[in-house]
Amino acid sequence: MWNSDVALGVWTCTTRLGEISAQKGSTTATGSMGGFWIGLWSRGGQSVVSLGKSGSWRLWNYDVDGQRWIEGIGISGHTKSVMDLAWAKDGSYLLSTGSDQTTRLHAGCANGQQTAWRELARPQIHGYDLNCIDTVGVFRFVSGADEKLLRVFEEPRGTAELLKKLCGVQNTLEREFPESASIPVLGLSNKAVEESPNSQPDQTAAMAGDTSLLLDDVGRHGEYTSRLPPTEDNLARHTLWPESEKLYGHGYEISAVAASHDGSVIATACKASTLEHAVIRLFETKDWREIKPSLAAHSLTVTRLRFTGDDQYLLSTGRDRQWAVFERNGADPHVFNLKAKNSKAHSRMILSACWAPVTAERIFVTGGRDKTCKIWDLQKPDNQLANTISESAPVTAVDMVPHAVRGSLVLAIATETGNVVIYFLKPISFMVESTSHLENHVRPFNSITQASWRPSLEDYGERPGEQGPDASYGRLALCSEDCSLRLFLVSFNGLQDANGT
């Protein structure tokens, strides 16, 4: 900020906001914020906001008593296409990842009688565009990017305390938390930082290769002391998750990943144009070893992998227009065998798939570029096609509420144009009972890359006495190529009672 010196006739700099990187080659994770693109004053001149490369509006408020500018809570988000999202298995938080090479953690912060969803951590800041992600239990996740390996990250103590303080998320698992993480300059791997009892915060930061102090609001042993969400500076530099494992084996960029609900197996796939590379590789999470042999069914890139709720089946879809289902071996839970496949399931490539609730037997849904969404019954002879739903644009994402709602199945279908339709389906015939569209002013305006309902049963009761199968509300998360991540509170009452669109 500059003031005019009338006597000298020059402008002098009186205040600097933001940070200056002290190391060559720094990224947003190591001290460089990438510069500001625009700045705006409030009408009274007591606040200023700026938009920067990290995709956040940063806010500073002037403290009259302290005669200084204090950073406040701004608005953050992705700067490029959001390619995938994943809920924690218990629904406590939501992860998103995309082409801006970041993975972001979002959770609901209690604010009186209301809950505000905010970005609370930035676990991964990478050097490659990120394509896919899934959570492994409640404190780990695995992500795949435009590189030939996958990376596994583990929740540090700082994030656990932050979720506990701001969101009431209690971590009941007995385990040792890593203190924090940092990323070396010109590096790609987040390194765990273990704070010794006698070390000072600046010494720990220096050992990690970071010239700044550690997060001010995190205590000596990871205890989060603030009642406010992290600022953009803290998000970008102090909320990384340490990388615990790398998974090798693929020959090209990672295209899909899925973790079983019990957290014991991870299924992965990469971009492929030959049978050799169009395989699904399985990894067990105890020793992080690949399970041989790989699963072969496709001839081109596998676009989607999904486990059933009880982890007995694995569904895969691909650009070769076919789907395949693998069944878990009862004698060895790490072994999956091909149970069924359909080489002519769609007339164009299949882009998404999901399973119906376990209570609905073995029903799954596929959506493709042929503008159709098909419902399949694995228990019927020849895997009978139960129903076909036609859309006006290619279907890019589908997901079904993981529990029956008042005896019916709720299916969300998203398209390449950003349109979202929610269907109530009869449980036996799978015929459409009613439909509802998201209004144009709230839906994405570009292709939707992923859709996912919040998984835990109790999260469908947003009002007292409306929990479980009789819940009236559910949360649907959407990510899109328009750089947005959107979370909707969907009323099941109005949807089920509707007679049409």
Side-chain angles (χ1 to χ4, degrees):
M1 296 182 182
W2 302 76
N3 281 344
S4 175
D5 190 326
V6 179
L8 298 177
V10 296
W11 288 79
T12 59
C13 180
T14 59
T15 303
R16 294 178 184 268
L17 302 178
E19 300 78 28
I20 299 177
S21 175
Q23 291 178 295
K24 186 177 181 180
S26 295
T27 64
T28 54
T30 55
S32 173
M33 298 309 297
F36 296 116
W37 295 339
I38 190 174
L40 297 172
W41 288 97
S42 65
R43 181 168 299 180
Q46 299 299 306
S47 300
V48 62
V49 294
S50 63
L51 179 63
K53 182 181 178 180
S54 61
S56 300
W57 282 99
R58 301 186 66 180
L59 168 69
W60 288 271
N61 298 311
Y62 187 68
D63 181 10
V64 178
D65 297 332
Q67 296 292 303
R68 59 173 184 160
W69 290 87
I70 299 177
E71 185 170 3
I73 306 301
I75 301 173
S76 62
H78 289 274
T79 60
K80 293 184 179 180
S81 299
V82 188
M83 302 307 297
D84 201 4
L85 56 82
W87 289 96
K89 297 305 186 208
D90 61 355
S92 57
Y93 59 82
L94 175 66
L95 291 171
S96 62
T97 195
S99 299
D100 63 355
Q101 304 180 355
T102 66
T103 296
R104 305 177 187 234
L105 182 149
H106 316 265
C109 302
N111 183 13
Q113 298 296 323
Q114 297 181 340
T115 299
W117 284 77
R118 294 184 177 274
E119 181 183 354
L120 296 184
R122 205 162 294 170
Q124 184 181 13
I125 300 177
H126 204 29
Y128 291 93
D129 291 0
L130 291 155
N131 301 325
C132 52
I133 191 172
D134 201 6
T135 54
V136 186
V138 295
F139 62 89
R140 283 190 300 219
F141 74 88
V142 57
S143 66
D146 282 344
E147 54 179 347
K148 301 177 183 179
L149 57 92
L150 296 101
R151 299 172 186 267
V152 181
F153 298 85
E154 189 168 339
E155 181 184 69
R157 186 182 301 275
T159 301
E161 290 294 333
L162 188 151
L163 290 171
K164 179 180 178 181
K165 289 271 186 172
L166 300 184
C167 310
V169 177
Q170 301 290 336
N171 195 323
T172 58
L173 297 178
E174 295 183 0
R175 66 184 183 93
E176 293 185 2
F177 289 87
E179 293 293 341
S180 59
S182 67
I183 183 169
V185 175
L186 301 180
L188 292 176
S189 299
N190 297 357
K191 304 296 185 182
V193 177
E194 297 297 340
E195 185 179 6
S196 62
N198 298 324
S199 65
Q200 297 299 319
D202 56 342
Q203 294 174 341
T204 306
M207 289 188 295
D210 190 354
T211 58
S212 64
L213 295 180
L214 291 177
L215 178 63
D216 294 336
D217 292 328
V218 177
R220 289 286 303 279
H221 300 288
E223 180 182 1
Y224 191 77
T225 58
S226 175
R227 289 290 180 181
L228 297 176
T231 62
E232 173 61 25
D233 178 33
N234 288 333
L235 282 172
R237 300 164 66 183
H238 303 298
T239 59
L240 292 171
W241 288 24
E243 182 182 313
S244 58
E245 296 291 340
K246 294 183 178 70
L247 307 180
Y248 296 91
H250 289 291
Y252 291 95
E253 297 91 339
I254 307 302
S255 62
V257 63
S260 62
H261 294 80
D262 62 9
S264 63
V265 177
I266 294 176
T268 67
C270 72
K271 296 180 180 179
S273 57
T274 63
L275 291 171
E276 177 186 2
H277 294 286
V279 297
I280 301 168
R281 298 186 185 274
L282 301 179
F283 298 86
E284 52 89 11
T285 59
K286 183 178 180 180
D287 298 319
W288 299 103
R289 298 180 185 274
E290 183 179 354
I291 302 170
K292 297 293 183 110
S294 303
L295 305 182
H298 296 272
S299 58
L300 294 175
T301 301
V302 173
T303 57
R304 191 74 172 128
L305 295 167
R306 296 294 294 265
F307 285 92
T308 54
D310 58 3
D311 297 325
Q312 293 304 307
Y313 294 93
L314 171 63
L315 170 66
S316 66
T317 60
R319 296 173 64 89
D320 55 3
R321 309 176 184 181
Q322 68 176 344
W323 55 256
V325 175
F326 301 88
E327 185 176 15
R328 202 168 198 170
N329 191 312
D332 187 350
H334 290 159
V335 175
F336 284 78
N337 301 309
L338 181 63
K339 177 178 177 59
K341 64 181 294 186
N342 189 326
S343 58
K344 297 181 180 179
H346 287 254
S347 60
R348 300 285 299 277
M349 69 178 70
I350 305 176
L351 298 176
S352 188
C354 69
W355 287 97
V358 176
T359 54
E361 298 183 345
R362 302 305 179 184
I363 306 299
F364 62 92
V365 181
T366 59
R369 192 165 289 281
D370 58 359
K371 302 181 182 180
T372 63
C373 183
K374 298 186 177 183
I375 304 174
W376 307 85
D377 190 343
L378 193 62
Q379 306 291 1
K380 296 292 180 64
D382 299 325
N383 310 304
Q384 180 179 338
L385 177 63
N387 192 11
T388 299
I389 300 174
S390 298
E391 297 293 337
S392 60
V395 177
T396 55
V398 296
D399 197 37
M400 192 172 285
V401 172
H403 310 279
V405 178
R406 299 188 181 92
S408 299
L409 305 178
V410 181
L411 172 66
I413 301 178
T415 68
E416 191 176 60
T417 58
N419 189 39
V420 179
V421 187
I422 301 175
Y423 294 87
F424 251 88
L425 305 176
K426 296 180 181 179
I428 298 178
S429 64
F430 308 107
M431 301 303 294
V432 177
E433 289 182 332
S434 59
T435 64
S436 179
H437 292 257
L438 290 185
E439 297 181 2
N440 290 336
H441 69 279
V442 297
R443 68 176 178 85
F445 60 84
N446 208 334
S447 177
I448 296 174
T449 53
Q450 192 55 265
S452 182
W453 293 95
R454 198 174 183 183
S456 53
L457 181 63
E458 60 270 20
D459 290 325
Y460 288 92
E462 295 295 330
R463 304 291 185 272
E466 294 179 346
Q467 297 187 356
D470 295 327
S472 298
Y473 295 85
R475 292 193 184 274
L476 175 65
L478 303 173
C479 60
S480 169
E481 291 183 0
D482 67 358
C483 311
S484 70
L485 171 67
R486 302 170 190 246
L487 185 62
F488 295 90
L489 185 64
V490 180
S491 171
F492 294 142
N493 276 337
L495 179 59
Q496 193 175 34
D497 294 340
N499 294 321
T501 301

